[in-house]
Amino acid sequence: MTRRIIYLNLVIVFMMMMFFSSCIPVLTTRDANKKVSATYNNLPSDTTNTGAINWKEFFTDPFLSALIDTALSNNQELNMMRQQVNITQNEIRARKGAYLPFVSPMVGVGVDKVGAYTLKGAGQEISTIKGSRISDPVGNFVLGAFATWEVDIWRKLRNARKSAIYRYLATIEGKNFMITNLVAEIANSYYELMALDNQLDVLKKNIEIQTNALAVIKLQKQAARVTELAVRRFEALVFNTRSRQYDIQQRIIEAENKINFLLGRYPQTIQRNSTTFNTFVPKTISAGVPSQLLINRTDIRRAEQELEAAKIDVKVARANFYPSLVIMGGVGFEAFKPQYLLQLPESLLFSVAGNLIAPLINRNALKAEYYSSNARQKQAVFNYERTILNGYIEVVNQVSNISNLQNSYDLKSQEVQALVKSVETAN
């Protein structure tokens, strides 16, 4: 008889599962396109990739390394991101606890006074325990533990935990991407600051030369070799050059304060050795092949983790349409007097119950969440494809920029040599 009841219950559960699965709305899915070009457009490509080098090996300036180390410890935005990583890690712990039984201890004390002429009161008047009549009012003392457990039949709770894990990995990659941007921004501002120092030094030398030239022109005017107009025009040129040095000094202050902000500290002087800027030779940049973007770029890895989490969220939303099995139970002691509380078996109580709950009517909220999860999954696909495309374009732009800057630098060097020879000829 018991086996027949079990089989009947299994058939009912199977029929309910078939019914609810047939009522789930059908969605259109989209797979991410991970294909990238074999090579970068018109750029040399090989497996050597500068992106795999640690920043400490790439930036050898001791002042720059000290600035970056300070920023990695004090930058407020980076520290906020670290706390976000802790939040997602705690979310994994919460999701893991969701599919384990919830056990709650309970201690209760109460009193109950009923009317003497009621059915319960009349029974209480004639009730005796161990030869003594039950006193009025009646006390109630409870000591026990109660548990609730949702059986994860459709892996809804486990998938929710898996989704939380992917989001945790995505925040780690987001932290790494922020570190990359922070190091690059500090290095860019540091070299810009050194360039401004050298530009100001050249401008001061130029002011000195122009001042001496102005004195010569004034002497020529006294000798009637030039007119007053030539003197005034050259004097205006000197004033214009002098005014430019204050513009550069302001840009130096702003560059220093930008670095200080990234370092999470108030304005102060940035230590640097700008005299080595003209002799600085950057390391050769190797872009590698486009397929390495999927491995080396943290923003692409972050988008990939978020995509996996979004896919699992769709499964979780789909599982909400299926029945949920909740098992509840409790065990403990209950008596109307404290001295009877721990006496067995009279004071012992226990209960076990199982509930199969399924949404039947008004499932609009579940459908809305299901459609929203699918839309978020498509958003994650588009974001993943956009991140790959953006990484590819950034590499092409920067490598092309480096090549064009090198060509421009070579031509500028030839221009300087030609001007030096013209000065010698003029002298």
Side-chain angles (χ1 to χ4, degrees):
M1 184 66 181
T2 304
R3 183 177 298 178
R4 183 180 300 176
I5 294 175
I6 294 175
Y7 288 158
L8 180 61
N9 291 333
L10 291 175
V11 171
I12 294 174
V13 171
F14 179 75
M15 293 179 63
M16 291 180 64
M17 182 184 68
M18 296 297 296
F19 170 75
F20 287 108
S21 62
S22 63
C23 297
I24 299 176
V26 180
L27 298 176
T28 57
T29 59
R30 176 183 172 86
D31 296 328
N33 182 15
K34 298 183 179 181
K35 294 182 180 179
V36 293
S37 301
T39 59
Y40 294 108
N41 296 340
N42 301 324
L43 296 177
S45 299
D46 54 34
T47 56
T48 305
N49 198 309
T50 307
I53 301 176
N54 188 277
W55 68 265
K56 292 183 178 180
E57 300 177 4
F58 190 81
F59 299 114
T60 56
D61 190 315
F63 296 110
L64 177 58
S65 298
L67 293 174
I68 295 176
D69 284 331
T70 303
L72 295 181
S73 300
N74 299 340
N75 184 267
Q76 289 88 353
E77 189 173 1
L78 181 59
N79 288 328
M80 290 170 58
M81 191 64 189
R82 290 192 176 103
Q83 297 306 315
Q84 184 64 32
V85 172
N86 294 335
I87 292 174
T88 54
Q89 188 176 15
N90 293 330
E91 183 68 18
I92 296 176
R93 182 178 300 177
R95 296 292 184 181
K96 181 180 180 180
Y99 59 81
L100 298 176
F102 291 89
V103 180
S104 304
M106 186 180 108
V107 177
V109 178
V111 64
D112 188 16
K113 172 67 174 70
V114 298
Y117 298 134
T118 62
L119 181 61
K120 185 176 180 180
Q124 181 175 309
E125 285 293 328
I126 62 176
S127 297
T128 59
I129 294 180
K130 296 183 178 181
S132 61
R133 183 172 294 180
I134 299 176
S135 61
D136 189 23
V138 180
N140 187 40
F141 301 88
V142 181
L143 176 63
F146 299 89
T148 303
W149 180 36
E150 181 179 353
V151 183
D152 193 17
I153 303 176
W154 320 113
R155 298 188 62 85
K156 177 179 68 174
L157 302 178
R158 284 178 172 81
N159 283 332
R161 175 177 176 266
K162 192 175 181 180
S163 175
I165 292 175
Y166 279 117
R167 286 198 163 82
Y168 167 70
L169 297 176
T171 54
I172 292 179
E173 297 298 343
K175 182 198 69 175
N176 296 334
F177 183 60
M178 184 176 294
I179 290 175
T180 301
N181 287 334
L182 182 61
V183 171
E185 193 169 359
I186 291 176
N188 182 68
S189 300
Y190 178 77
Y191 290 127
E192 180 183 359
L193 185 59
M194 295 176 66
L196 289 173
D197 289 340
N198 284 270
Q199 186 176 353
L200 181 61
D201 183 62
V202 171
L203 188 63
K204 289 180 178 179
K205 293 179 180 179
N206 194 21
I207 292 174
E208 183 180 356
I209 294 173
Q210 289 182 353
T211 303
N212 295 333
L214 178 61
V216 173
I217 292 179
K218 288 182 178 180
L219 292 176
Q220 290 179 343
K221 175 184 177 293
Q222 294 176 3
R225 296 290 299 274
V226 297
T227 62
E228 180 69 18
L229 177 61
V231 175
R232 296 303 178 187
R233 291 179 61 182
F234 203 88
E235 188 176 22
L237 179 61
V238 174
F239 287 139
N240 178 266
T241 306
R242 287 180 177 177
S243 66
R244 287 175 56 191
Q245 69 176 337
Y246 298 104
D247 177 63
I248 296 177
Q249 289 176 357
Q250 178 61 29
R251 292 170 61 187
I252 289 175
I253 293 175
E254 292 177 356
E256 285 185 328
N257 289 338
K258 180 180 179 181
I259 295 177
N260 285 318
F261 176 77
L262 295 175
L263 268 59
R265 67 187 187 187
Y266 287 96
Q268 56 183 276
T269 303
I270 301 297
Q271 293 184 352
R272 58 194 182 273
N273 185 10
S274 299
T275 57
T276 61
F277 182 74
N278 291 329
T279 60
F280 173 73
V281 179
K283 293 185 178 180
T284 304
I285 302 297
S286 301
V289 294
S291 59
Q292 292 176 330
L293 290 173
L294 305 180
I295 303 174
N296 293 333
R297 287 191 61 112
T298 53
D299 56 338
I300 295 179
R301 295 202 301 265
R302 177 184 183 179
E304 184 178 9
Q305 302 294 347
E306 291 176 346
L307 175 59
E308 295 299 327
K311 289 180 180 178
I312 297 176
D313 287 339
V314 177
K315 296 180 181 180
V316 174
R318 181 184 179 89
N320 290 329
F321 290 93
Y322 297 138
S324 300
L325 176 60
V326 180
I327 298 177
M328 296 174 291
V331 62
F333 304 92
E334 185 176 10
F336 65 92
K337 286 185 178 182
Q339 57 266 32
Y340 300 146
L341 186 61
L342 299 179
Q343 292 190 7
L344 295 175
E346 291 85 356
S347 298
L348 179 65
L349 65 88
F350 63 87
S351 64
V352 178
N355 297 323
L356 194 63
I357 305 172
L360 182 61
I361 302 175
N362 193 9
R363 301 190 299 170
N364 290 329
L366 298 179
K367 291 181 179 179
E369 179 60 26
Y370 188 38
Y371 286 130
S372 298
S373 299
N374 185 70
R376 286 191 289 268
Q377 187 265 343
K378 291 182 179 179
Q379 281 182 334
V381 170
F382 291 130
N383 180 62
Y384 180 63
E385 295 175 348
R386 182 190 66 84
T387 306
I388 295 177
L389 179 61
N390 178 69
Y392 180 90
I393 292 177
E394 281 186 353
V395 172
V396 172
N397 289 342
Q398 294 303 323
V399 174
S400 177
N401 184 32
I402 292 173
S403 177
N404 290 328
L405 287 175
Q406 181 63 45
N407 295 332
S408 176
Y409 181 81
D410 294 339
L411 293 176
K412 287 294 183 181
S413 298
Q414 297 177 16
E415 179 185 358
V416 170
Q417 294 176 3
L419 290 175
V420 170
K421 292 181 179 179
S422 65
V423 170
E424 295 176 353
T425 303
N427 289 335

